[in-house]
Amino acid sequence: MDGELSVVTDTNPVRVDLACGQTPREGFTGYDLHAPETDRVKRLDLLRFPWPLADASVDELHCSHFIEHIPMAETADGQDLLLAFFDECFRVLKPGGTMTVIWPSLKSVRAFQDPTHRRFIPGETMGYLSAGWRKANALDHYRVACDFEIRSVAPTIHQDTALRSAEAQAWMVQGMWDRTVDWHAVLAKPAAP
C-alpha cells in the first residue's frame, strides 16, 4: 500500500516493537518517534492514528514502558488516547496475534520516578480492553472497540520478595508499597472463527 511503513514481507512472522527506543527486540521491527531511524527502527508517532500499517498485518506486538507516557488527553473525536492506542494495536494485529505490554507498577517508586510519566496504571486496567469484561461490568458504553483476550496480567516482584514463601509474597504484594516492579500483560486478538 502506498505510504505504508514497510515491515517484513516474506513468510516470516511480522513482529513490531512499539516505542522501542534505539534497540528493538531481536527479530522485531522497531517504531519510535524519537529514536534515530535505522534499518531496524522506523520513525512513527504512536499517538497519531491510523498508523501506516495495514489492518491485520502484524503477528506480534511488543510494547515496553510506553503506555505510562500516553498523555491524559483525547483524540479529535473524543476518545481517550490510551484506549485509542489499544484500538490501533488491535486493528493491526492479525487474528490470533499477540501483544505483550510492560509498564511500571502503580505500587512502585518506578511509576513515579520518571517525570515524563503521565499515567499510573493498575493491572486491572487491562480488563477494559476486553468487550466481554466491559459488558459484564456494565461498562460497554466506553469508547473503545478492541476485544482482546486477556491471557495474563502479572506483576514482576523485587528479588527480596521473590525469595519468600508464596504466602508471604501474596501478603507483601497486596499490602506493601514497592514490592512489585512492573506489570506484564499478554493480550491476544481472537483467532477468526
Side-chain angles (χ1 to χ4, degrees), residues 37 75 88 144 160 165 172-173:
E37 191 153 328
T75 62
E88 190 66 3
V144 58
D160 64 329
S165 71
M172 292 175 82
V173 168

Side-chain angles (χ1 to χ4, degrees), residues 60-162:
E60 183 178 357
L61 291 171
H62 185 268
C63 183
S64 181
H65 292 278
F66 173 69
I67 65 171
E68 67 273 17
H69 295 273
I70 296 175
M72 299 291 286
E74 296 178 345
T75 62
D77 67 350
Q79 186 183 27
D80 183 273
L81 274 178
L82 181 70
L83 299 176
F85 171 78
F86 280 107
D87 274 353
E88 190 66 3
C89 292
F90 193 80
R91 181 188 70 79
V92 303
L93 270 178
K94 292 179 181 177
T98 60
M99 178 178 189
T100 299
V101 187
I102 303 166
W103 70 98
S105 172
L106 172 65
K107 289 186 177 181
S108 172
V109 169
R110 198 170 154 88
F112 298 92
Q113 73 185 18
D114 185 336
T116 67
H117 288 179
R118 298 295 178 249
R119 294 177 184 256
F120 306 99
I121 305 166
E124 292 83 356
T125 296
M126 294 298 107
Y128 290 80
L129 306 179
S130 163
W133 186 93
R134 293 189 304 269
K135 184 174 182 176
N137 289 281
L139 297 170
D140 50 346
H141 61 281
Y142 272 53
R143 296 199 56 210
V144 58
C146 64
D147 186 15
F148 281 104
E149 172 188 313
I150 312 299
R151 293 208 173 150
S152 65
V153 180
T156 55
I157 57 177
H158 281 283
Q159 184 176 8
D160 64 329
T161 304

